[in-house]
Amino acid sequence: MTRRILGLPLRSVVFDLAVVGAVALLALAAATTQAGGWAAAVVGLVMAAALVWRRRRPVAVTVVVAALAITQVAFGWGALPYDLAVLVALYSVVKYAEQLRAGIVAGVVAAIGVVLAAVQTPSQVEWYFPAIYYGLVTGAVWLAALNVRTRRLYVLSLEERAATLEREREAEARAAVAEERTRIARELHDVVAHSMAVMIVQADGARYMIDQSPETARNAVRIVADTGRQALDDMRRLVGVLREPSPAEPGPGDPANPDAGTLVDRADGTGERAAGGAPPPTAGLVAEPVHRRPSVGELPALLDRFRAAGLRVRYTVDGPPGTLPQALDLTVYRLVQEALTNTLKHAGVGAVVEVTLEHVADAVVLGVVDDGQGRPAVTPAPSGGHGLVGMRERVSVYDGSLIAGPRLAGGWQVRARLPLPSAPTTEVIAA
């Protein structure tokens, strides 16, 4: 971090002190030989002292230096070596003044001073030759200061724009997370409502069968308990997601998430994945009825819709499928849906996609890999999507891991591992 003194970088302070010292030495060096003697040297020293504040108070410094220069001209001393302070003050007011109008006024005053100084300069030629020389030097300083001021303001505008874009991006990401959490809450509400309905039906059946068939009643009560545990587990996950802030996105090699990969949303315009393939309208591929709860069993129908849209999809299921909790079932469906939608948008029509669903003892492992060889896009896919934001939120509900990023062989991959809940899953027995 750059050291600062009085709010200014250390190197700026050192440079200003060197300029002040140079002007002061010029004022003292010829005190006995220059016109005005020690009186002129005192004027030069005051000019040097004023330059200390040239960055913070450029207009005030220029007024002081100009007043001293007019005093010098009034006494008829002509141009002296320490008049370097006039050029420094002119440069400072053009570069650092809040409005360029102050620099323009300073330039006009400097032009008048050039003429007066040229008239008082002893010379073998006409007065306008020194005036031209002084004018060229002063004009060059003024133009150099204007160029530096323009570049400085341009850099400041870029920094402000970058800061504004960063704030907008953070706000947009927070809004996307909030929207996805609302969607998760709505879907888990359906799951919990279904569980409560099952519990009520089973409890009523147990009440009516407790005398006629105690074994059936005990089985119904067991189902009520298992369903209640599962619903409570789903609700606990939901409350945890809604209470906790969005976790920081783990980077590659993060020890907190060894499965973390390159998490880049291909629709956010960062250029991590080149857009390819003009997708046909995909609204029908994503939208679902409000009260519908899609599941893994509906994946073949979903894949058929994407095949009809132009993707070449292969679907493989490994391991015994078993029965997944409804919330987890819905999460797997949504992950496949989002991954295929991104493939259609960015890999393009004709891309080959491999969808694998592996059921292991303690988790469900999902993979969606495409070759990125679709037809080139006529119109690039719109930027600003938040597909991976939603996918991360869904996976985090189950403390799972998500890897999403480009492949070395080309194309894109999405791999998710979703641990199974510890609570047992049983069949529902109607009373």
Side-chain angles (χ1 to χ4, degrees), residues 105-161:
V105 173
V108 173
V109 174
I112 297 174
V114 163
V115 175
L116 296 177
V119 171
Q120 294 182 354
T121 300
S123 177
Q124 302 295 328
V125 295
E126 297 294 336
W127 66 271
Y128 48 80
F129 286 101
I132 293 174
Y133 172 74
Y134 293 153
L136 289 176
V137 173
T138 304
V141 171
W142 195 94
L143 291 176
L146 179 63
N147 180 62
V148 175
R149 174 190 179 91
T150 303
R151 292 177 60 85
R152 172 173 169 268
L153 294 179
Y154 176 70
V155 171
L156 290 177
S157 67
L158 290 181
E159 292 176 350
E160 178 62 26
R161 186 183 304 174

Side-chain angles (χ1 to χ4, degrees), residues 195 198-204 206 219-229:
S195 300
V198 171
M199 294 169 64
I200 292 172
V201 170
Q202 296 296 324
D204 287 341
N219 195 29
V221 172
R222 178 176 59 83
I223 294 174
V224 170
D226 290 345
T227 305
R229 291 190 188 96

